[in-house]
Amino acid sequence: LTRRTEEEHAAHAAHKKAMSFDGSKKGSAKAKRGVSFVEETDDLDGVSEEISDFDAKEAFDPRRHSVFATRGDTADARDVFDGDSAYDAAFDADWRAWTRDEKGKRFLTLRLARVAEAAVNAGEVLPRSPRDAKAELRAVARAYYDEIARAHRRFAAEFSSSDFFPASAEACLTRAVTLPRAGFDALAKKCAFAQTRTKCTEAHIGAFYETVVGSASAPLTRAQFLELLVRVADAKYAKSGAHHSLARALEALCENDFLPRAGADFLADPDVFRLKKLYLEETDDVFRGDIIVDDTKEEELRLAAKFDEETGARRD
């Protein structure tokens, strides 16, 4: 699988940090990325005002023109992979799971109120209501959820036996991937979550773990993993007074500890290879049975046959 390089990871993190948390994208802090299949450039220097016949042709879009386009009569899994919608649905489920749980709901209500009180005592003006503060936290959690979900699965695979990680595709339909305690401890150590002589020591994190899971050794579901990260962020960055906002505390944990230290290979999107290697016009030609011959004239005719001569629209 094609993995995100260190440079791509750094650029991705910088982009996230620059985004404003306005609650767009169903509570997401980041702009909806979607899936881009065409490279664009802002450098127009030297580009002729005249557009060639080839440039006037409709661009290849695998969602519309390829064998990977959505087909109503076949399984949805056979069309173009839409990572954003999949992560949106997963986040919605995980957010509901822990914020509607009695323990999670009580934690949020109490900590949002106390953090707001601390902010007022510190002289900060907070025009937002507790509901707005919760929405802001949700936005930040969604902004980093893709990497959080990948880390949960990656460390689960690294440290799990068949008891924690489904052994087959069929098992995934009825069993969720869970992260064992050893895997979380390895992640916490790698990311340096704990700090001595603070309210976020290893003992504190261990207590948070037991509170969330209900046991010192039971594995974490993805929703519980998300809740645990929020609790760690609260202890490390909100209770310390560094940030008077749970949302900013979680952002600080992700930017300062989680993203830089977890490792690009652990956070990489495993489906990047689809965009770079699979959803291409050349691949589509192969699936359609088109033969690319060496003869230049025949190749030009083959390409020209794909488009309407008058409009330049694709025929497929």
Side-chain angles (χ1 to χ4, degrees), residues 2 30 34 36 40 42 67 73 76-77 86 88 106 115 122 124 146 148-149 172 177 187 225 283 290 307:
T2 303
K30 59 186 176 182
S36 176
E40 298 180 357
D42 294 328
V67 295
D73 295 334
D76 289 341
D88 280 344
R106 185 169 60 248
V115 170
E124 291 189 11
D146 295 20
I148 290 173
C172 290
V177 174
L187 173 64
F225 180 56
T283 308
D290 291 346
F307 304 93

Side-chain angles (χ1 to χ4, degrees), residues 68-87:
F68 304 106
T70 303
R71 299 183 294 281
D73 295 334
T74 57
D76 289 341
R78 295 183 182 179
D79 66 8
V80 173
F81 185 84
D82 189 347
D84 273 346
S85 64
Y87 281 114

Side-chain angles (χ1 to χ4, degrees), residues 22-34 83-85 87-88 91-92 138-139 142-143 146:
D22 58 2
S24 60
K25 190 187 172 187
K26 294 196 296 184
S28 171
K30 59 186 176 182
K32 186 170 179 62
R33 293 175 297 170
D84 273 346
S85 64
Y87 281 114
D88 280 344
F91 175 76
D92 288 343
R138 188 183 192 280
R142 178 61 187 94
D146 295 20

Side-chain angles (χ1 to χ4, degrees), residues 45-117:
D45 294 340
V47 176
S48 171
E49 294 182 359
E50 296 182 2
I51 302 177
S52 67
D53 291 339
F54 181 77
D55 291 333
K57 306 299 184 184
E58 185 179 3
F60 177 74
D61 181 355
R63 294 183 186 278
R64 297 173 53 206
H65 307 125
S66 76
V67 295
F68 304 106
T70 303
R71 299 183 294 281
D73 295 334
T74 57
D76 289 341
R78 295 183 182 179
D79 66 8
V80 173
F81 185 84
D82 189 347
D84 273 346
S85 64
Y87 281 114
D88 280 344
F91 175 76
D92 288 343
D94 289 345
W95 179 263
R96 287 194 302 269
W98 83 270
T99 58
R100 294 182 182 180
D101 175 75
E102 184 178 349
K103 294 193 300 293
K105 186 176 182 179
R106 185 169 60 248
F107 163 77
L108 271 184
T109 302
L110 177 64
R111 288 304 302 153
L112 287 174
R114 291 188 176 177
V115 170
E117 181 181 355

Side-chain angles (χ1 to χ4, degrees), residues 242-264:
H243 292 282
H244 296 127
S245 162
L246 277 186
R248 300 303 172 185
L250 180 60
E251 179 190 9
L253 183 76
C254 291
E255 291 292 341
N256 300 334
D257 306 315
F258 178 57
L259 292 182
R261 294 171 176 163

Side-chain angles (χ1 to χ4, degrees), residues 15 28 46 67 71 76 81 90 105 121 153 157 164 174 176 182 204 213 215 223 231 270 305 307 312:
H15 169 70
S28 171
V67 295
R71 299 183 294 281
D76 289 341
F81 185 84
K105 186 176 182 179
N121 294 337
R153 187 175 184 86
F164 302 111
T174 56
H204 285 98
V213 185
S215 168
R231 288 177 181 265
F307 304 93

Side-chain angles (χ1 to χ4, degrees), residues 205-280:
I205 294 177
F208 299 154
Y209 190 102
E210 292 187 36
T211 300
V212 171
V213 185
S215 168
S217 59
L220 287 165
T221 64
R222 196 175 52 219
Q224 291 171 335
F225 180 56
L226 176 61
E227 177 183 356
L228 186 51
L229 290 181
V230 173
R231 288 177 181 265
V232 171
D234 174 46
K236 189 169 186 177
Y237 291 101
K239 290 181 179 179
S240 66
H243 292 282
H244 296 127
S245 162
L246 277 186
R248 300 303 172 185
L250 180 60
E251 179 190 9
L253 183 76
C254 291
E255 291 292 341
N256 300 334
D257 306 315
F258 178 57
L259 292 182
R261 294 171 176 163
D265 56 333
F266 280 85
L267 303 177
D269 185 352
D271 291 298
V272 167
F273 83 98
R274 296 172 183 259
L275 309 183
K276 294 185 176 180
K277 302 294 184 182
L278 185 58
Y279 300 144
L280 306 175

